[in-house]
Amino acid sequence: AVVSTQSTGIMPGNEKYYNFGVGMVQFISINSDESIDEGSTQGVWFENTLKKINANRETWPWLVVFQHRPIYNSNLNHGNWSGRNTYDIEEGWPEADYEGWPDHFESLLLKYGVDLVLAGHVHQYERSWPVWNRNNTRHSYRDVTAPVHITCGHGGKSLYKYIKGTDKVDGFNSTAPPFSAA
């Protein structure tokens, strides 16, 4: 079978975020290690791309965003990505904080009807119910009005058993947050 792809626009020049269509699905890749607030280059590009796609939803009824870090995750090693780092990537070299995560990002997901958000980073699998604003969930996949988030970060490294720096504290949250379906 031949798969055709179609982009709604060119890459913004840095290849850190881009979009393409395959069949009835439009995919948008964004960089979770960069600001995505309304004044940032990525934030402006992301909203403009969403507008273009929404003008053609009859062509692309499904809209999938994929990124590295999840904004919904219950694993105790990383939790929900907020744009604020709580650890250093190398001693003495703290990672920068990034603006627009999760608030502006999530507002765009809702405004433009994103169906699915795929993420990695956390070395576990987790699937959400349709969710927005952390605790607003709908425990059904019928007539969905908010995106489903899937974290599938177990490629290339072993799964987390314990919280980093411990050998006995389980990395799983024993009480699943309301958004977690699996």
Side-chain angles (χ1 to χ4, degrees), residues 29 31 38 47 64 66 90 115 127 132 134 139 155 167:
S29 173
N31 182 6
E38 60 191 44
E47 183 159 21
V64 177
F66 61 101
E90 291 181 34
D115 300 293
R127 181 185 72 250
W132 66 101
R134 292 278 173 251
H139 289 209
D167 61 354

Side-chain angles (χ1 to χ4, degrees), residues 85-140:
N85 284 292
T86 57
Y87 59 91
D88 292 346
I89 54 172
E90 291 181 34
E91 190 173 319
W93 292 91
E95 284 192 53
D97 289 334
Y98 305 109
E99 301 300 320
W101 297 97
D103 301 332
H104 183 66
F105 172 68
E106 186 170 43
S107 72
L108 294 176
L109 298 178
L110 294 167
K111 180 178 179 178
Y112 293 101
V114 171
D115 300 293
L116 178 65
V117 178
L118 301 172
H121 190 65
V122 179
H123 297 269
Q124 301 290 356
Y125 169 82
E126 186 165 17
R127 181 185 72 250
S128 78
W129 294 107
V131 59
W132 66 101
N133 295 329
R134 292 278 173 251
N135 294 314
N136 295 315
T137 62
R138 180 170 182 184
H139 289 209
S140 170

